[in-house]
Amino acid sequence: MSSDRTDPSSQARPAAASPVMLQIGATEIIVQWQDQTSSQVMQARLPFGHANLFGTDLRTPSAFEMESAIEIVEEHVMPLARKIEAVTSREILVKDFPTPARFSSEPDSTFNLDAVEREFSHIAAVTQGRSYSDIEPVEMRSFSASVLILREFMHHLGIENGTVNCLVT
């Protein structure tokens, strides 16, 4: 006797979606994701990173530099976001995030978009003259660029949560 019902345990289950991987290097960003249609691992490289997004000046970035950097990042992330649409995972894994020592209590930390927004607001206040007494200007530029890049990726990819692997600067 045959049955039209299929045993649920015998059905193929889709592979769990992988998070988007973001590696913010000094002069380039590497983005990896798994296309859910083809299961291929895709990769893109963006021509800027935490050390050169604001140019080579070593002082804390200005509000104008922050706005200009947002435009640069958006120009690259928005078209990439359309390619990554097939990703069903809405998590991000950030590798080697340049982090001033005072922020890196754990080598791997989870975070959400709200935490990134709070840090970005802190950085925006610094560009308006508020002091970040524990962070040297060179660290601040690199950290600011990294937070800005992460924030834009999360916004344009609709990502709410992530894990960061800290690289203490």
Side-chain angles (χ1 to χ4, degrees), residues 43-65:
Q43 184 178 80
R45 292 177 181 265
L46 306 183
F48 53 86
H50 65 79
N52 65 357
L53 184 60
F54 297 123
T56 58
D57 194 345
L58 299 181
R59 63 179 169 61
T60 300
S62 68
F64 176 76
E65 287 172 310

Side-chain angles (χ1 to χ4, degrees), residues 5-169:
R5 291 188 349 188
T6 305
D7 178 8
S9 63
S10 68
Q11 291 179 351
R13 294 192 170 113
S18 299
V20 174
M21 194 279 293
L22 180 64
Q23 185 169 4
I24 304 172
T27 59
E28 78 172 350
I29 296 170
I30 299 171
V31 185
Q32 286 185 338
W33 68 96
Q34 183 175 9
D35 184 280
Q36 294 303 298
T37 306
S38 67
S39 296
Q40 281 188 301
V41 174
M42 310 298 284
Q43 184 178 80
R45 292 177 181 265
L46 306 183
F48 53 86
H50 65 79
N52 65 357
L53 184 60
F54 297 123
T56 58
D57 194 345
L58 299 181
R59 63 179 169 61
T60 300
S62 68
F64 176 76
E65 287 172 310
M66 290 289 285
E67 286 299 322
S68 296
I70 289 170
E71 288 179 24
I72 291 167
V73 175
E74 283 182 336
E75 284 176 15
H76 289 84
V77 173
M78 289 171 74
L80 188 57
R82 287 189 287 279
K83 292 180 183 178
I84 300 177
E85 279 180 316
V87 172
T88 57
S89 171
R90 288 296 171 216
E91 292 187 27
I92 193 164
L93 172 63
V94 185
K95 297 274 212 182
D96 302 331
F97 192 81
T99 309
R102 80 177 201 107
F103 288 106
S104 57
S105 59
E106 310 240 345
D108 291 317
S109 301
T110 58
F111 61 92
N112 61 28
L113 181 57
D114 289 339
V116 173
E117 286 295 345
R118 278 191 304 276
E119 196 56 48
F120 186 79
S121 293
H122 238 52
I123 291 166
V126 171
T127 68
Q128 300 295 323
R130 184 169 151 213
S131 176
Y132 234 140
S133 60
D134 305 21
I135 304 176
E136 296 296 319
V138 174
E139 289 179 322
M140 189 65 197
R141 280 181 86 75
S142 201
F143 183 63
S144 298
S146 298
V147 170
L148 183 151
I149 291 164
L150 177 58
R151 176 182 180 258
E152 293 305 314
F153 265 90
M154 291 181 79
H155 274 265
H156 293 290
L157 296 177
I159 293 173
E160 290 291 325
N161 300 296
T163 302
V164 65
N165 170 262
C166 298
L167 177 66
V168 179
T169 57

